[in-house]
Amino acid sequence: MSRVSNQAARVLGMLRTMHVIREFEEAAGRAWHAGHVRGSVHQYVGQEAIAVGVCANLRPTDYISSNHRGHGHSIAKGADPVGMMKELFGRADGTCGGKGGSMHIADFSIGMLGANGVVADGATIAVGAAQAIKILRQDRVAVTFFGDGAINRGPLMESFNWAKIYNLPVLFVCEHNGYAATTRTADVTAGEGFVARARSFGIDGESVDGNDLLAVDAAAERLIARIRAGGGPAYLFATTYRHHPHNTRDTGNYRTQDEIDRWKQKDPIARTTAWLLSQGVAQEEITSIENEARALIERAFEAALVAPLPSPSAAYTDVQDVGAPQ
Amino acid sequence: MPIEVLMPALSPTMEKGNLAKWIKKEGERVKAGDVIAEIETDKATMEVEAVEEGTLGKILVPEGTEDVAVNTPIAMILAEGEDAAALKSNGKSAHAPAQSQPAEQQKAAESAPPAAQESAAKTARVPAAPKPAEAAPPEPQVQPEPEVPAGTEMVTMTVREALRDAMAEEMRRDDRVFIMGEEVGEYQGAYKVTQGLLQEFGPKRVVDTPITEHGFAGLGVGAAMAGLRPIVEFMTWNFAMQAIDHIINSAAKTLYMSGGQMQCPIVFRGPNGPAARVAAQHSQDYSAWYSHIPGLKVIAPYTAADAKGLLKAAIRDPNPIVFLENEILYGHSFPVPKLDDYVLPIGKARIARPGKDVTLVAWSMGMTYALKAAEELAKEDIDAEVIDLRTLRPMDTETIIASVKKTGRAVTVEEGWQQSGVGAEIAARIMERAFDWLDAPVLRVSGKDVPMPYAANLEKLALPSVAEVIEAVKAVCYR
């Protein structure tokens, strides 16, 4: 790479991660339809700019918590996509030893406190982590990612309240893709929605176009800096769209093709690519990033296919910590 | 381990037949029940069904082969995670997978007492009966099972359709009945149980909720107190963990706390129990949890007829009801009597299979293991009686005790965990009321004492199996 700005170099790195996430999600979908992965897989395709733009402003020691659509958050925070793919395949050397699966991926080594199969439960966990950060006087922040489906859940309101009254270092990231599973969120939401809810607890923040990586990155940078400086909880409300149905079992027939096509015009990867080209980054460079990401995920897929199943004895381990009391 | 598909017999006397045609090709995915091949004799033709889900790994007998002996391996099915390399070229290496038994199960079998203790138990003095409480709670009044008139047409339908019909019939009968839950309306139900209800009854009586289990469970309780008859659907009972506060602290205690002034007629329903490959948070059995709670009635049907008759009864009942359905059973079909108003008694078990040697007690999905085991045991001359509890609270103890007094042995089957499980409760009741009739300790077959693992092989291990039921029965029969 030659003679592009520092910012373009940073954005190119983020584009690489977005491609890894997209390739991972498409491969996960293929693996589900081929029967290698079971349960249900919630793909993050179309929403990549949010995880990547936010996590680019986090340190390895910072915490995140996630939801059922959590693969993108894990990868953006630094989880190994090969281990994650093996986890989806239920293999011994998956991120969680094959015992968690898609909706329970957690990687404590990078501060990823877990995807979560219960809507909004990740928010309470992140606020609890933020409470610990404060009590332990650590220089960390906690970020929780959730969808607009979570904004009508009690635990989220409880999280807002707790985070505010204790002035905790936590960023609430609402990924507004318009649907609470298969139901239009607007149809089942009273009042003015997420931003008003957060504000009613005295929490403010920023609303951004979640498909605009630069906008997400800039807003996250400002908000996280403010949180680190002791400014207390904040929200980031990012409007986006998932290209795929709710999960691999869902036909998605409650959305019109026209709606999907309109949103695909605003694809975050295409927009980031266009911006980089306008900044003088060569097309070959972008193509090679894309190819690298595809090759990485193809290797992950192949590795997962031949990885060993957990030993039967693994069924009985880790039920309790049997080490010495601490 | 790959699974062998054997040449089946069309009749007990058939010794060989022709492999007419392969319907599935090598490498194709098959589900249990899929037709994979056709065989024929000079008398008839028959379809061969896959018994397990997997991939048709290798065809051992090509189509057009004549005079294939019965029980010859004709193909191999690969389970998930296995590839064709697992197959030796001659297919001989693959046997039915050895059942790996967790240590506890083996111990349970080993610890069965020698038969010599039998006579000692028989002659032991009967302990004094516990002193009755000052004021015992009234025994629940159980309505008799309705007569199904001879010649009644039986309609084959899935559990899913039976539940839908039950709700539709009750909503037509009583306009206070309404249903609410996530995706019950426009999406026709997360598992399509509410199919067509929005179209017939409109959005005022078929209400899509936001994702707020805690909130809408409480809202249902308020609506019931204020004179409505809510049916609250949980997308699965796993998500009702958020709502358990309202189910127990609000619904179950209202009548008692108000000194009998206020009723709470509400049905909480949805799929319960382990589902396939959705791991720990989405795959567990709440039978024991809710059947622990005074104030609730807890129903867990197995057949479509019971699902229909008991859901109608639940909607009419003046008490809060926890109605535990099963995701895997939704698609199973059963005969249902075609009657205008088929209502079954809550709190009455059903003898699904009469027998004399041992009593198997199960409900919901547990019935699939119990019935299959009974079938297998019959081949070894063990005649099992299978009781489908249907209602967990109030439990039909009489039917269990009467059966145990006949057989002298009992095994319970459940997908939930053993500690404080429903099986533990059944064993305790048998011990209290039929101790002198027992010829062996009651054994429990259950889900293993771990959260549900995701990996295919571990999940299978964590669930109860037909083999475990058979083993437990043999242990109590000292066979």
Side-chain angles (χ1 to χ4, degrees), chain B residues 220-415:
Chain B
V221 170
M225 289 173 177
L228 292 179
R229 295 256 165 173
I231 304 169
V232 173
E233 175 179 294
F234 294 116
M235 190 183 282
T236 83
W237 277 97
N238 300 289
F239 307 138
M241 297 277 269
Q242 315 294 325
I244 199 167
D245 174 42
H246 276 306
I247 297 170
I248 296 174
N249 269 332
S250 305
K253 298 179 183 172
T254 291
L255 186 67
Y256 189 86
M257 291 192 297
S258 71
Q261 298 171 62
M262 207 157 54
Q263 288 180 329
C264 186
I266 185 168
V267 176
F268 298 103
R269 52 155 289 270
N272 171 58
R277 303 300 307 283
V278 287
Q281 288 185 341
H282 287 71
S283 204
Q284 57 200 322
D285 179 8
Y286 290 93
S287 298
W289 295 55
Y290 289 103
S291 69
H292 186 62
I293 308 301
L296 293 179
K297 290 186 178 181
V298 183
I299 300 169
Y302 163 59
T303 69
D306 289 348
K308 183 176 182 188
L310 286 166
L311 183 54
K312 282 166 69 77
I315 294 167
R316 294 180 191 187
D317 199 278
N319 293 287
I321 307 271
V322 166
F323 200 92
L324 303 171
E325 301 155 12
N326 184 286
E327 184 190 332
I328 291 163
L329 291 176
Y330 276 151
H332 286 217
S333 293
F334 297 87
V336 177
K338 192 175 180 183
L339 292 172
D340 284 341
D341 204 13
Y342 184 64
V343 184
L344 288 170
I346 295 170
K348 186 85 191 80
R350 177 179 66 94
I351 294 175
R353 183 189 192 283
K356 60 176 174 32
D357 296 330
V358 59
T359 301
L360 287 171
V361 188
W363 59 96
S364 188
M365 192 66 188
M367 284 296 294
T368 59
Y369 306 103
L371 288 172
K372 188 82 179 63
E375 232 178 86
E376 297 293 319
L377 288 160
K379 294 175 192 163
E380 302 185 45
D381 227 4
I382 298 176
D383 185 17
E385 178 151 289
V386 182
I387 296 177
D388 181 355
L389 270 187
R390 306 196 291 190
T391 301
L392 303 176
R393 185 184 189 97
M395 191 183 286
D396 185 356
T397 314
E398 298 306 327
T399 297
I400 299 170
I401 298 300
S403 176
V404 171
K405 284 183 177 176
K406 181 172 69 173
T407 63
R409 303 157 204 278
V411 171
T412 64
V413 186
E414 66 188 308
E415 293 197 310

Side-chain angles (χ1 to χ4, degrees), chain A residues 245-261:
Chain A
H246 172 56
N247 61 30
T248 40
R249 293 164 183 265
D250 175 22
T251 57
N253 59 5
Y254 44 86
R255 309 190 300 183
T256 64
Q257 192 57 46
D258 179 56
E259 178 181 298
I260 297 166
D261 292 342

